[in-house]
Amino acid sequence: MPGAADFVQRTVHALEEGAGAKWVKIALTVFAILALSVFYLVHEFKGFATSQAMDQAQIGRNLARGEGFRTQMIRPLAVGQLEAHGKNVAEKIWYDTYNAPLPPLVDAIALKPFKSSWAMTPRDIIYPAEKILVGLQVLLLLGSVVILYFIATLLFDDRLAVLAAWLVLLCDALWRYSISGLPQMLLLFLFNGTLYVLLRAMLAQTGGGRVGLWLALAGVGFGLLALSHALTIWIFLGAFIFCIFHFRPRGWAAVIMLATFAVIYSPWLVRNYAVCGNPGGVAIYSVLDGINHPEAGHMRRVELDLADVGLGHFKNKFTGNTVLQIGRGLEYFGWSFVALMFFAGLLHIFRKPETAAMRWLVLCMWGFAFIGMSIYGLSEELGVAANQLHLLFVPIMTCYGLAYLLVQWNRLEIEFRLARIGFLTLLFLICSVPIAFTFLTPTTRTIRWPPYVPPYIAVLNAWMKPNEVVASDMPWAISWYADRKSLWLPETIHAFTEFNDYNTFGAPVNGLYLTPISGSQNRLGDILKGEYRDWAGVITRNIDLQKFPLKWATLLGLENECVFFSDHDRQRIAVP
């Protein structure tokens, strides 16, 4: 039939060259992204990976309940800070001053519609609420890539924007952080949004327009970044210095950005001061991480021992972290060879003034972030670090690195289309090696053991009452999975006893939960002489329970590597 043949011909033509081709490409792109997301989540997600992720999530759940920025996790150092400033410990200890406020708030917004996911049962291998929060992080990652696409189209062109977006989507490190529970994807979303606003300010200046509104919005973006992770203030410092010299009128334009940043961020500092007497909260002491003790060692002390801390310690820490970042540079940039080419691209002269200027802005922000990470450190948990900010620069650096490599290829003047395709394919293959190995490596466990076995932690919800406190070497996990108040195991048994005897928290400490964090993950010498040495007898289970305040004990966890002590025999429930 001529009519049918003509219809088929028109349809094929539309799909190949007409308007239909655009929608086919969009549909295939969306399908590929969804397939990548689902496959990564199914293959790799085993629950949250870090203490900070669980800590922020339990605060987010409290926010969703309408309880405000309250925490169920107690740091002994916070007790000392409150006492030093004459605060009521029993009242103020439940107001968190360690975490940045925006990640818990975003978690609360995601959890609010799903109240049925808040309670974890011993039958749940992966906490349902974690699936919701990780799904949000993946959406933030994809949203960040969309913003990157628009940035790249303004800096370069559509084709490079598409290629760069796919290179970013194939970065294994970004996906690994998106399922860790850490707020890095929220940071990336806000960072890319702030970059877009700054780029608009540059375009406005180039076109003779006003930049004040754009810089004010950039200040808001940096303020939100600081409310998501205080270490990003170092990124803001880099951007602020750049803006002083780049925008006109010189200095005044940067002041606009500083003013809006202060308006956004300062209320949180005032709130912390009202709660604990220090605008930095208990988080201010994170700078001591790695000086005589890890951060955990300092947080478990009621009073800081700064007698042996001097400038030499900070110098050694700064030097060590600087060497670490340089030595592991490729790893911190997600093993993206193209992203690292950003630094080589600094030698190239770009024609567009905003493209040339943006690279110096990126370099300035990254340089200050590097300094901040050297000062505070990059302590890792299960392969991810809460302070890892290099990751934020991977997408924008990938754009510049790819542009530089394409320029060098064009200079070879190889007029052979297949050769160009082969060159691009090689770049993609190199950058996708880590994610390919991730997919090809078989998954051995469905949980992050050691040290986490969520069902054996969730059981404490039934064993402990809401007004009781459990001391533990993983209080963040008890607060999150068991939804019970938890005290970070104090440095000494004496401090633990005093907390209970003097009713410091307005609630009795009637439980003690020990895990491989203080036990089997350490050598015997580390247990006897390390951070938990005062608890060595309890950890090695050589203590006489009749002489211990908590006289009832039961084994939990895989291969009974966890132990729970209590003041009496608690009603037990079935644990799968």
Side-chain angles (χ1 to χ4, degrees), residues 49-120:
T50 68
S51 58
Q52 186 167 323
M54 298 177 200
D55 191 16
Q56 291 180 345
Q58 59 96 8
I59 297 171
R61 186 176 55 200
N62 292 338
L63 273 168
R65 288 177 180 145
E67 298 175 0
F69 282 95
R70 293 175 65 90
T71 181
Q72 297 194 88
M73 176 178 163
I74 302 171
R75 292 171 172 82
L77 187 56
V79 176
Q81 187 183 56
L82 290 171
E83 290 177 340
H85 290 90
K87 303 292 184 177
N88 185 329
V89 176
E91 176 188 352
K92 298 294 187 180
I93 194 66
W94 308 112
Y95 292 91
D96 182 73
T97 62
Y98 179 84
N99 294 283
L102 197 54
L105 180 59
V106 172
D107 288 348
I109 294 171
L111 291 174
K112 184 70 174 178
F114 303 97
K115 292 185 178 180
S116 60
S117 70
W118 295 359
M120 181 176 185

Side-chain angles (χ1 to χ4, degrees), residues 434-456:
I435 199 170
F437 274 109
T438 296
F439 287 158
L440 294 174
T441 303
T443 302
T444 55
R445 290 187 183 273
T446 57
I447 56 175
R448 296 191 183 276
W449 173 265
Y452 303 112
V453 188
Y456 287 98

Side-chain angles (χ1 to χ4, degrees), residues 411-445:
R411 286 177 177 174
L412 296 177
E413 298 182 354
I414 300 177
E415 301 296 334
F416 188 45
R417 188 167 181 269
L418 286 179
R420 182 182 177 85
I421 294 174
F423 173 67
L424 291 173
T425 302
L426 179 62
L427 293 181
F428 272 81
L429 288 175
I430 293 173
C431 291
S432 62
V433 166
I435 199 170
F437 274 109
T438 296
F439 287 158
L440 294 174
T441 303
T443 302
T444 55
R445 290 187 183 273

